[in-house]
Amino acid sequence: MEQLHGVAEVRELVAQWRHAGHTIGLVPTMGNLHDGHLSLMREARRHCDRVVVSIFVNPTQFGPGEDFDAYPRTLDADAARLREAGVEVLFAPTVEAMYPLGANRTWVDVDALGDYLCGADRPGHFRGVATVVSKLFNIVQPDVAVFGEKDFQQLAILRRMAAELLFPIRLIGAPTAREADGLAMSSRNGFLTETERARAPLLQQHLQDARRAVEQGERDYRALEKRIAVSLAEHGFDVDYVTVANATTLAPAAAEDRELVIAAAARLGRPRLIDNLTLSLPAA
């Protein structure tokens, strides 16, 4: 596996692969890799001849008071896992490589989709995500890019961005990788105490409860959201949101919507956990 840090050297290697007729997959990450990340790489390998994994803790998607400085940086351990996974290239750029002119003045901002769910409490977050991913797309120019469905809103925004900016890239959503007890794998799970870790799967269990209620005919989604949020709080979660949303627009779902995402974000001790599930209702 090659470990590259500069934009020009990545472009040169990708050009060689193109000349040889290879297809290219990209898996963008912020590092501190776990088995969920490796599942994304396996998905990329299913579709492409060569796989590039980027590791970049992007400062522009962290807001004031968020954990940019504390975010785990484990490049050596990550590189070892990528070698074992058979990844061809680890692209680990510096901040200066990704933002060569210093403070950014050019942004990619997907209207509306970033206003709901996590975007409501994290203004500017998805603008930072869309901007840095567009840079990675321009650098690597992959045929396929793979993202986890755990970050449902991020995937929806990036799909819209790629379609509207005419990136010739197929975006693939990989199913959320979970621990045996149902907890969605996340780099932030390592911040959970032993007691918190035992309680954390309740987030997914509450989403399953909400889905069953909807499947059984519940259509007062605002009341359902409130019940789930109150129950999570009673179990020690500091709830940011619980929402039943239209899976396309991410706006709060109406009774007539058929494609839904049920999503939640809540702090449990230090880390902020997110999770979601989708469901399709039969035509009325």
Side-chain angles (χ1 to χ4, degrees):
M1 183 189 73
E2 295 193 61
Q3 184 169 321
L4 305 178
H5 302 279
V7 171
E9 54 188 346
V10 172
R11 285 176 167 160
E12 181 179 356
L13 181 58
V14 167
Q16 294 172 11
W17 288 345
R18 290 281 183 212
H19 184 71
H22 297 310
T23 55
I24 299 160
L26 170 66
V27 181
T29 82
M30 294 206 301
N32 194 27
L33 302 180
H34 50 69
D35 288 345
H37 291 113
L38 298 184
S39 71
L40 305 183
M41 296 159 204
R42 289 192 293 271
E43 183 67 21
R45 175 66 67 199
R46 289 181 58 240
H47 300 276
C48 300
D49 302 315
R50 298 288 184 267
V51 176
V52 177
V53 174
S54 64
I55 293 180
F56 180 64
V57 183
N58 175 37
T60 66
Q61 69 190 69
F62 288 81
E66 293 188 342
D67 58 354
F68 174 72
D69 291 332
Y71 195 89
R73 291 158 170 83
T74 56
L75 187 59
D76 290 342
D78 292 343
R81 298 202 73 175
L82 295 180
R83 289 189 192 95
E84 293 175 2
V87 169
E88 280 77 19
V89 169
L90 163 58
F91 177 40
T94 62
V95 172
E96 291 73 23
M98 295 301 289
Y99 296 97
L101 302 183
N104 224 49
R105 295 288 183 265
T106 304
W107 301 98
V108 177
D109 197 358
V110 179
D111 287 343
L113 288 178
D115 295 339
Y116 303 106
L117 308 181
C118 290
D121 294 324
R122 304 182 71 190
H125 169 71
F126 287 111
R127 183 182 76 163
V129 171
T131 299
V132 79
V133 171
S134 70
K135 289 171 180 272
L136 291 169
F137 284 178
N138 278 324
I139 294 165
V140 179
Q141 298 184 357
D143 299 283
V144 167
V146 180
F147 299 88
E149 291 179 348
K150 179 175 76 73
D151 297 294
F152 187 91
Q153 183 175 20
Q154 172 178 278
L155 180 57
I157 287 170
L158 294 177
R159 279 177 166 155
R160 185 64 180 253
M161 177 195 80
E164 292 193 343
L165 297 185
L166 304 179
F167 282 110
I169 301 168
R170 182 159 64 102
L171 272 64
I172 294 176
T176 301
R178 299 187 180 278
E179 305 290 355
D181 58 8
L183 177 65
M185 292 183 181
S186 170
S187 298
R188 290 183 169 91
N189 291 349
F191 292 124
L192 294 166
T193 66
E194 184 176 350
T195 300
E196 292 162 353
R197 174 63 186 83
R199 194 181 305 156
L202 288 171
L203 184 62
Q204 171 63 195
Q205 292 171 24
H206 277 71
L207 295 180
Q208 296 285 357
D209 291 343
R211 176 162 65 183
R212 281 191 290 272
V214 174
E215 290 174 338
Q216 292 167 8
E218 173 73 78
R219 294 296 179 269
D220 187 346
Y221 295 140
R222 306 297 83 80
L224 176 60
E225 293 163 356
K226 184 175 181 179
R227 291 202 308 271
I228 296 297
V230 167
S231 181
L232 282 169
E234 290 173 347
H235 285 89
F237 289 82
D238 182 5
V239 179
D240 284 353
Y241 65 81
V242 174
T243 185
V244 182
N246 180 297
T248 300
T249 67
L250 304 184
E256 62 271 18
D257 290 334
R258 302 292 94 188
E259 300 297 322
L260 306 177
V261 58
I262 305 175
R267 294 190 181 277
L268 188 58
R270 182 178 175 185
R272 181 177 185 271
L273 307 179
I274 65 171
D275 205 347
N276 70 81
L277 51 80
T278 58
L279 70 160
S280 298
L281 298 178

